[in-house]
Amino acid sequence: MSTQTISAPAVTVPEPRVTSSDLDFIRRGKPASVIVDSLVLAKRHLMRIPRQPDWLVGVTVMPVMFLLLFRYIFGDTVQATLPAGVDAVNYLVAGIIVQGLVFGSMNTGLGLAMDAKEGLMDRFASLPMTRSAVVLGRILADMAIAIFTTAITILFGLLVGFRPTTDVVDWLAAIGLMLLMAFTLAWLGAIIGLALKTVEAVNSIGFTIIFPFTFLSSTFINPDYLPGWLQGFAKNQPFTLLLDATRGLLTGFPEVGNSAWMVTLYLLLALVVLVPVALWMYERRIKG
């Protein structure tokens, strides 16, 4: 009599499957991942520019147009409002550089609104990447564009007579202040872009908000020559403080004093508020 041994069939235990949300949870707490993911997305945004050269031309031409307009049409009028020895070209170019950075902040809002419209936000949310990198990547790309357009504006300014009276230390301080300014304003633009539902709304309402601050300031004229009831606002609003600190570093007028340090502190405090608000609004946008 033979004995047969019946072996039980082998049971295959499936390996645990790692989902995108698991990977997202693992990577979310790593600062290095935020930086890497942000740089990847920034590169992606910048790689699209060669396919949209008309857009790049548009954002570059606008500050140059303001520069040429006020240099050759309103230059003498601006000169009449300035103290003796202060050159109108230096005054105007420094103001238009800062104005260009403010206008450039709306590119972040427009870009995020476009990403939401095209469904890219939902696609990014499903990928194993840090959530904050979606906003930060857009901001880094827009800062790169802002640096390019600012360099073009300075170049045209030199061609039309801009002669900064500053040393290397003040140049470095001015550049650092402008970079911090662009970074902070980009987070503000991100909040506007995430708060509004359409690209058209961001474009119209966003510029409606920032236009009064740029023109009711010391951008193009000495605020002392504004109507009395506007002078208090024009001299003390945040944009004028940014303008005067940057202009003082580049041209020596007005005297910088402690204003550069004060503006730097204000920008850092603004970042403490704007960054978490923008990230919260992004989370709300992708979940809603």
Side-chain angles (χ1 to χ4, degrees), residues 71-251:
R71 167 65 178 92
Y72 291 108
I73 298 180
F74 302 111
D76 292 338
T77 303
V78 175
Q79 186 68 67
T81 69
L82 298 175
V86 178
D87 185 72
V89 178
N90 287 346
Y91 189 88
L92 287 169
V93 172
I96 290 170
I97 289 172
V98 178
Q99 185 199 48
L101 293 173
V102 176
F103 285 172
S105 66
M106 290 311 304
N107 291 333
T108 301
L110 292 170
L112 289 172
M114 183 64 70
D115 288 345
K117 179 180 179 181
E118 295 176 350
L120 289 177
M121 278 192 182
D122 295 332
R123 192 180 309 170
F124 290 150
S126 66
L127 296 176
M129 67 169 61
T130 52
R131 298 289 181 86
S132 57
V134 177
V135 181
L136 183 56
R138 168 64 66 176
I139 289 175
L140 292 179
D142 291 333
M143 282 194 64
I145 297 169
I147 292 172
F148 173 78
T149 56
T150 301
I152 296 297
T153 305
I154 293 175
L155 176 61
F156 271 87
L158 293 173
L159 293 176
V160 300
F162 179 48
R163 297 297 180 264
T165 56
T166 184
D167 55 21
V168 176
V169 175
D170 286 341
W171 258 113
L172 293 176
I175 291 172
L177 183 61
M178 286 189 286
L179 289 175
L180 179 60
M181 186 191 315
F183 187 67
T184 304
L185 294 174
W187 284 100
L188 177 61
I191 291 175
I192 295 174
L194 293 168
L196 302 175
K197 298 298 183 182
T198 65
V199 178
E200 294 77 13
V202 174
N203 188 46
S204 59
I205 297 177
F207 280 103
T208 300
I209 293 173
I210 66 175
F211 252 83
F213 285 95
T214 58
F215 282 90
L216 296 178
S217 67
S218 61
T219 306
F220 305 113
I221 193 172
N222 188 341
D224 291 336
Y225 286 79
L226 292 174
W229 59 277
L230 279 178
Q231 288 185 19
F233 172 79
K235 291 180 179 180
N236 298 288
Q237 58 121 322
F239 186 59
T240 296
L241 300 179
L242 293 172
L243 275 166
D244 290 345
T246 307
R247 182 179 280 134
L249 289 170
L250 292 176
T251 67

Side-chain angles (χ1 to χ4, degrees), residues 229-279:
W229 59 277
L230 279 178
Q231 288 185 19
F233 172 79
K235 291 180 179 180
N236 298 288
Q237 58 121 322
F239 186 59
T240 296
L241 300 179
L242 293 172
L243 275 166
D244 290 345
T246 307
R247 182 179 280 134
L249 289 170
L250 292 176
T251 67
F253 176 80
E255 291 290 337
V256 179
N258 294 322
S259 62
W261 293 107
M262 292 176 60
V263 169
T264 301
L265 179 60
Y266 292 155
L267 290 174
L268 292 175
L269 291 175
L271 278 175
V272 172
V273 177
L274 296 176
V275 172
V277 170
L279 296 180

Side-chain angles (χ1 to χ4, degrees), residues 43-56 145:
K43 180 181 178 181
R44 174 193 175 275
H45 295 314
L46 292 174
M47 289 177 63
R48 298 179 62 182
I49 293 179
R51 291 176 288 177
Q52 301 173 324
D54 51 343
W55 176 83
L56 182 61
I145 297 169

